[in-house]
Each structure stands twice: as structure tokens, then as C-alpha cells.
Amino acid sequence: MSKDHSLTLLGLNVRRFRESNNFTQEALAERCELDSTYISGIERGVRNPSLLSLIRLAKGLNSTVSALCEGVE
């Protein structure tokens, strides 16, 4: 899969929020009811998460979708 700059920026934001919450990818995946390989793909910028997945991630990270998408163009 090719990387898109917007997905890379989103992935960096997700990783930053995850690390600031001291979550492993596995712990975040469990909180969001997503697969840890899916979280990894998002953080690497190779997955394009749906809106529903972004909502789950935001809730799991005690954040908002807009915060996760900050700086993503």
C-alpha cells in the first residue's frame, strides 16, 4: 500500500495521543474494539480509517476526532 501524506500525519497524531496516555497498541485496540494490527497500520499511515473507526479511536484516547485530525490536510 502506498502512503498518503494526510494518512501519515493522522497516524503521527494517533501515536502521539496513544503514547501520552501510556497505552500500548494492544491496549488501545482493546479499548476501541479494533485489532492491534489495524492500529499499527493507522499509525504507519498505510490504513485509511473510516469515520466510525476515528470516533472509536478518539473515545479510546479520551480525545476528539478533530484533535486527531489536527494539521491533516
Side-chain angles (χ1 to χ4, degrees), residues 28-64:
L28 178 59
E30 189 173 312
R31 287 175 62 93
C32 300
E33 298 180 355
L34 297 169
D35 193 270
S36 60
T37 59
Y38 187 67
I39 302 292
S40 173
I42 291 170
E43 289 187 359
R44 291 181 290 117
V46 296
R47 298 298 299 238
N48 185 4
S50 69
L51 177 59
L52 293 177
S53 293
L54 285 175
I55 291 168
R56 284 180 169 188
L57 281 169
K59 287 181 181 178
L61 291 167
N62 304 309
S63 187
T64 64

Side-chain angles (χ1 to χ4, degrees), residues 1-12 39-48:
M1 247 184 199
S2 65
K3 283 190 176 184
D4 178 276
H5 185 66
S6 297
L7 295 178
T8 301
L9 292 173
L10 174 66
L12 291 172
I39 302 292
S40 173
I42 291 170
E43 289 187 359
R44 291 181 290 117
V46 296
R47 298 298 299 238
N48 185 4

